[in-house]
Amino acid sequence: MIFSKEDNAKELIETIVTCSLIELDGFPLFYKLEDNISFLKRLFSDCSDFVIREFKLNNSVNAILVFVDGLIDTKEVNQVLQTLMVLENGDDDIHVIEKALLPVSQITKVNEYNNLLQAVLSGTTGILVDGNDEGLTLSIQGAEKRSVNEPEGEAVVRGPREGFIENIRTNTSMLRRKLKTPRLKMKSLVVGRESSTNINLAFLEGIADPQIVEEVSRRISNIDMDAILEGGYIEELIQDSTYSPFPQVMYTERPDTVAGALLEGRVAIFVDGSPMVLIVPATFWMMMQANEDYYERFQMATLVRWLRYLFLVIALLTPASYVAITTFHQQMLPTTLLLSIAAARESIPFPAIVEALIMEISFEALREAGIRLPKAVGQSVSILGALIVGHAAVHAGIVSSPMVIVVSITGIASFTIPHFNAAISLRMLRFPLMIAASILGVYGILVGVMVLIGHMANLRSFGVPYLSPIAPMSVGDFKDILIRAPWPVMENRPSFERTHDVRRMDDGFANQVQQGGGQDGGP
């Protein structure tokens, strides 16, 4: 619907009473203050937290402040009222009020209800004056918010201890402290018909590929949904392959991780109300890297990465391999080990695949219960399940001791994956691989692994191949995949990100250090 200032105010008020902010796009502010008051009271009827504070400018001109109780700083609102009430005669024009000595850092002019209410419902305060078809929004937010703490899901031994919170402006300020440059851009979007969720796209101009930035913005702008309550909504709506089990969007609650991703040419997506920041494009190898890899010496970081890849294979293939070997390929085991496993399974009434499914499902249930319950109770459930129930199941002849060992090793291995969404993918993929192993043995595992690798090679994340730089191969980018090369060697950013500024540091830095005489004891 298209609105104009010439439309009759009463007819417009009767036409639009209950609507979303998107439906108010183009709806103008009224000249008469009584029409604005009437419209706002009808639009926000039965909204006890929406406040319309009427007052007079210099005891002559009617005006109102509109705000949401609980989202503003009451003391600052009172100071604004005191300042406006003592303006000089003739200061009833909104442009004069804008230039008045108000105790506010940011003042914005608005002439449509969509913009006014979007700002007010986000925590600002609106001013409307009789005889003006424009209003002002004052940035005097004061809502309660959680303090900045260390992220529980991404704890480190060495590195910053701060994590994002649910307030988007606090989160962007934490990133700004990491990257003090005007090249750090924050593109603002609003998504959700009812929630009107604020979203910021962060990228480094001159480093990030403009086409990727534009594609991310286009996908988010095209979302037509009633509400966006968390970043997971955005993640699932913008990813390239919806039905793939592999995550194509990375998320983190650490500002240093976001800063590092932006320096490699990626785009960060901040969602108001979520402490998780999305990062695109994402590759499989990103999921195997932790921010602490870049804070420790490269030898230690490389060793830890090799351990992660080893435990990745263990977490994915160990249960399936146990099922395949004990069912079809007993000759692959040493005789002593085979006899030990056969003796342990002698009283088990189930085949290996059923035994494996019982243990894996029970383990996943215990892990989920430990997460959902309060911390103290969750620890008790974990101890109860691991020690008492597991021990009793073995003695009752439901499962064998070797299977308990296999599932335990698998669970421990999955905990070494740095990113939770990648670990979940591995936990899901274990089950089809176990079923394939129970049908075709080792050949079923090989077929399943080939299907997974082929699927991953076919995946894209905003145009970037999911297995880059392994497939397609880019030898120059191997410095930060299977190993973590020393910083003096990693002069360039990843080439598969299509960054415009490929140089990360001066390539002569290492030579300058050595030529300075540090190793020879010179000056």
Side-chain angles (χ1 to χ4, degrees):
M1 183 179 293
I2 301 176
F3 309 98
S4 65
K5 297 178 181 179
E6 289 76 18
D7 292 334
N8 185 272
K10 292 184 179 180
E11 293 181 358
L12 286 176
I13 294 173
E14 293 294 334
T15 302
I16 298 183
V17 175
T18 302
C19 57
S20 63
L21 295 185
I22 295 178
E23 295 174 306
L24 288 176
D25 189 19
F27 194 101
L29 297 176
F30 301 114
Y31 281 100
K32 294 183 179 180
L33 185 63
E34 60 182 19
D35 293 333
N36 289 317
I37 295 175
S38 176
F39 176 73
L40 289 173
K41 285 185 176 180
R42 295 196 60 184
L43 189 63
F44 289 93
S45 61
D46 296 328
C47 297
S48 59
D49 59 339
F50 189 84
V51 179
I52 301 176
R53 172 65 164 87
E54 301 183 37
F55 65 98
K56 289 183 179 292
L57 297 173
N58 198 28
N59 295 322
S60 60
V61 180
N62 293 323
I64 59 172
L65 288 181
V66 292
F67 54 88
V68 176
D69 189 17
L71 297 183
I72 51 90
D73 189 325
T74 306
K75 293 182 179 179
E76 292 193 20
V77 170
N78 293 335
Q79 292 179 4
V80 169
L81 280 172
Q82 292 176 1
T83 304
L84 293 175
M85 287 180 178
V86 296
L87 289 178
E88 299 294 333
N89 288 332
D91 288 343
D92 57 348
D93 187 83
I94 202 71
H95 301 283
V96 178
I97 297 175
E98 180 186 8
K99 299 178 181 179
L101 297 177
L102 296 177
V104 182
S105 59
Q106 296 181 3
I107 301 178
T108 305
K109 286 191 296 185
V110 293
N111 55 16
E112 295 180 359
Y113 267 107
N114 180 35
N115 299 327
L116 172 66
L117 296 181
Q118 172 67 41
V120 170
L121 294 175
S122 297
T124 65
T125 300
I127 298 179
L128 298 178
V129 181
D130 193 21
N132 291 268
D133 61 346
E134 289 185 324
L136 299 177
T137 59
L138 313 179
S139 180
I140 47 179
Q141 293 94 333
E144 295 292 331
K145 58 185 179 182
R146 181 167 61 92
S147 59
V148 177
N149 296 315
E150 181 178 1
E152 296 183 2
E154 298 178 72
V156 295
V157 176
R158 180 176 181 178
R161 296 290 197 272
E162 59 182 0
F164 291 124
I165 62 173
E166 288 74 17
N167 185 275
I168 188 172
R169 194 49 60 207
T170 301
N171 294 342
T172 55
S173 66
M174 294 168 69
L175 178 61
R176 181 68 70 176
R177 286 198 295 268
K178 297 288 183 184
L179 301 174
K180 305 177 184 67
T181 170
R183 299 173 72 180
L184 175 58
K185 306 302 180 182
M186 300 279 186
K187 186 175 181 180
S188 179
L189 301 171
V190 179
V191 180
R193 293 191 299 269
E194 305 300 335
S195 64
S196 296
T197 305
N198 294 317
I199 296 175
N200 277 180
L201 302 185
F203 60 95
L204 284 173
E205 190 176 44
I207 296 180
D209 185 357
Q211 294 183 354
I212 293 181
V213 176
E214 182 61 30
E215 178 65 15
V216 175
S217 177
R218 184 189 67 80
R219 293 188 189 185
I220 296 178
S221 300
N222 288 340
I223 295 175
D224 186 11
M225 194 174 181
D226 54 355
I228 301 295
L229 303 180
E230 212 275 337
Y233 288 56
I234 301 294
E235 176 184 354
E236 194 166 345
L237 289 169
I238 67 174
Q239 62 184 359
D240 291 59
S241 300
T242 303
Y243 298 102
S244 173
F246 294 98
Q248 300 138 61
V249 177
M250 176 181 164
Y251 63 80
T252 180
E253 50 183 334
R254 297 189 62 89
D256 55 330
T257 301
V258 175
L262 265 56
L263 289 169
E264 291 187 342
R266 296 183 174 91
V267 180
I269 304 172
F270 291 81
V271 181
D272 195 16
S274 173
M276 300 294 180
V277 175
L278 309 179
I279 298 175
V280 293
T283 64
F284 173 75
W285 312 108
M286 288 175 57
M287 307 298 173
M288 302 301 296
Q289 299 172 356
N291 59 315
E292 199 171 3
D293 292 352
Y294 302 95
Y295 304 148
E296 296 289 352
R297 291 179 55 81
F298 74 94
Q299 298 95 334
M300 185 61 189
T302 300
L303 176 61
V304 171
R305 283 192 182 179
W306 290 349
L307 287 175
R308 291 196 196 112
Y309 293 131
L310 173 62
F311 283 111
L312 166 68
V313 176
I314 293 175
L316 185 62
L317 301 181
T318 300
S321 300
Y322 177 83
V323 171
I325 293 174
T326 56
T327 305
F328 296 101
H329 311 285
Q330 295 89 348
Q331 68 276 10
M332 296 178 63
L333 296 176
T335 303
T336 305
L337 179 60
L338 179 60
L339 292 175
S340 175
I341 294 177
R345 298 200 69 254
E346 184 178 5
S347 61
I348 306 301
F350 306 113
I353 179 60
V354 176
E355 184 184 5
L357 289 176
I358 290 175
M359 285 301 300
E360 285 290 346
I361 293 174
S362 301
F363 184 81
E364 294 298 331
L366 286 172
R367 178 153 43 183
E368 188 69 14
I371 294 175
R372 304 303 165 202
L373 291 173
K375 289 185 178 180
V377 181
Q379 294 175 359
S380 302
V381 169
S382 301
I383 296 173
L384 176 67
L387 298 180
I388 301 177
V389 176
H391 182 73
V394 172
H395 279 269
I398 299 176
V399 295
S400 62
S401 299
M403 178 56 71
V404 174
I405 296 173
V406 167
V407 173
S408 301
I409 294 175
T410 303
I412 294 173
S414 65
F415 291 141
T416 63
I417 309 300
H419 295 279
F420 185 68
N421 52 351
I424 290 177
S425 299
L426 297 179
R427 286 158 53 184
M428 291 190 302
L429 293 172
R430 284 205 299 263
F431 291 95
L433 286 177
M434 283 191 298
I435 295 174
S438 69
I439 299 173
L440 297 175
V442 173
Y443 301 104
I445 298 176
L446 293 177
V447 171
V449 171
M450 291 174 62
V451 170
L452 289 179
I453 294 176
H455 173 69
M456 294 169 67
N458 193 46
L459 280 181
R460 298 290 186 274
S461 177
F462 289 86
V464 176
Y466 195 59
L467 291 180
S468 298
I470 302 295
M473 184 171 291
S474 175
V475 179
D477 293 326
F478 281 17
K479 301 174 183 178
D480 195 23
I481 301 299
L482 301 178
I483 64 171
R484 204 280 275 174
W487 274 116
V489 180
M490 295 195 295
E491 306 97 347
N492 296 334
R493 310 181 202 276
S495 60
F496 57 86
E497 294 289 349
R498 301 196 297 270
T499 55
H500 283 204
D501 183 5
V502 298
R503 302 296 295 175
R504 178 182 276 145
M505 69 174 70
D506 182 11
D507 56 358
F509 175 76
N511 294 331
Q512 293 175 8
V513 173
Q514 294 183 4
Q515 291 174 2
Q519 294 181 348
D520 300 330

